[in-house]
Amino acid sequence: DAKTTQPPSMDCAEGRAANLPCNHSTISGNEYVYWYRQIHSQGPQYIIHGLKNNETNEMASLIITEDRKSSTLILPHATLRDTAVYYCIVRVGNFGNEKLTFGTGTRLTIIP
Amino acid sequence: DTAVSQTPKYLVTQMGNDKSIKCEQNLGHDTMYWYKQDSKKFLKIMFSYNNKELIINETVPNRFSPKSPDKAHLNLHINSLELGDSAVYFCASSLDRDRVTGELFFGEGSRLTVL
């Protein structure tokens, strides 16, 4: 699975959009981009995933560049409960087992 | 209702002891996992089971033995505990039909402290 690079930490004002970048320059054509988050002392929580197209669900939007070498997770209206460590993960889809490799992630702090 | 539940949530024990952590999921999922998160917060997969069959074993010491009595349960037994086993252990599950989704449902974790 391709390696990902994320900034170690970010701050965002409450109510504003939080944009979390991720670089995955060695991504292969059949690898998906996944985002999970871990709120303090809890288990990781799935947020969203995508292959080529931009994706949106009730939690967030995922913007993937045309060359697929980077992506951005967008939390449109950040709340204090969005404070967490966010993990960007790249892996082959339809693999038969979910061997997710978590990196160090981005610690996002939402400021009141 | 808790989707993936682990017990105990906290476990403090002495070196050399044997302990077990239990995991149950009520989501009807086919695959279950154990992940370990160490003191540096790195989260790494240890095992996965699909319908009671071992799928992934990530070079974990033999002292760790997962057991899946049915597809809703995956327990982790650890023999001869060492200081380095201190960590938070997360159980997770996923649905086979959603393999391409890559969505894992994690439990709340079991914090093991070995003294």
Side-chain angles (χ1 to χ4, degrees):
Chain A
D1 295 337
K3 183 178 178 180
T4 61
T5 303
Q6 300 177 252
S9 64
M10 292 181 62
D11 293 339
C12 179
E14 187 179 15
R16 304 296 293 271
N19 298 289
L20 292 93
C22 179
N23 286 323
H24 30 78
S25 58
T26 60
I27 193 170
S28 301
N30 61 346
E31 288 184 310
Y32 287 72
V33 179
Y34 294 84
W35 284 84
Y36 277 75
R37 73 180 182 183
Q38 187 173 23
I39 296 171
H40 181 62
S41 297
Q42 297 182 20
Q45 176 190 23
Y46 167 86
I47 301 173
I48 199 168
H49 79 285
L51 181 63
K52 297 180 183 177
N53 300 323
N54 298 336
E55 303 288 340
T56 296
N57 62 21
E58 64 278 4
M59 288 182 68
S61 294
L62 174 60
I63 308 298
I64 303 174
T65 58
E66 194 168 339
D67 63 7
R68 302 186 70 238
K69 292 186 177 182
S70 66
S71 60
T72 301
L73 177 74
I74 302 172
L75 308 177
H77 305 288
T79 70
L80 297 179
R81 283 180 288 188
D82 292 323
T83 292
V85 178
Y86 287 76
Y87 297 97
C88 171
I89 302 164
V90 169
R91 64 168 287 274
V92 175
N94 203 19
F95 194 71
N97 55 69
E98 307 306 340
K99 184 180 170 181
L100 298 177
T101 302
F102 289 79
T104 53
T106 296
R107 181 174 297 278
L108 175 67
T109 302
I110 306 302
I111 300 172
Chain B
D1 286 343
T2 303
V4 181
S5 58
Q6 302 178 222
T7 55
K9 189 168 183 177
Y10 299 97
L11 186 55
V12 181
T13 188
Q14 300 286 331
M15 279 176 55
N17 285 349
D18 303 337
K19 291 294 178 185
S20 293
I21 306 172
K22 296 185 177 181
C23 179
E24 175 182 5
Q25 53 95 2
N26 62 5
L27 298 167
H29 286 174
D30 306 287
T31 306
M32 296 184 70
Y33 313 79
W34 278 108
Y35 278 78
K36 177 182 179 181
Q37 188 165 40
D38 61 24
S39 57
K40 296 183 179 178
K41 302 298 185 182
F42 288 114
L43 195 60
K44 298 178 67 175
I45 190 169
M46 300 173 68
F47 302 101
S48 79
Y49 270 73
N50 180 275
N51 284 313
K52 303 194 296 178
E53 180 185 349
L54 179 65
I55 303 297
I56 297 174
N57 183 340
E58 283 291 297
T59 59
V60 176
N62 291 338
R63 299 182 296 103
F64 290 79
S65 53
K67 285 187 171 51
S68 181
D70 55 62
K71 75 174 193 176
H73 295 84
L74 181 62
N75 304 321
L76 183 65
H77 188 75
I78 314 170
N79 290 328
S80 304
L81 279 157
E82 301 177 356
L83 293 177
D85 298 332
S86 295
V88 181
Y89 293 85
F90 288 99
C91 178
S93 70
S94 65
L95 182 63
D96 266 3
R97 288 197 299 277
D98 286 340
R99 282 177 190 172
V100 71
T101 303
E103 181 172 1
L104 267 66
F105 292 79
F106 283 84
E108 292 296 303
S110 296
R111 181 176 293 276
L112 172 65
T113 302
V114 182
L115 303 176

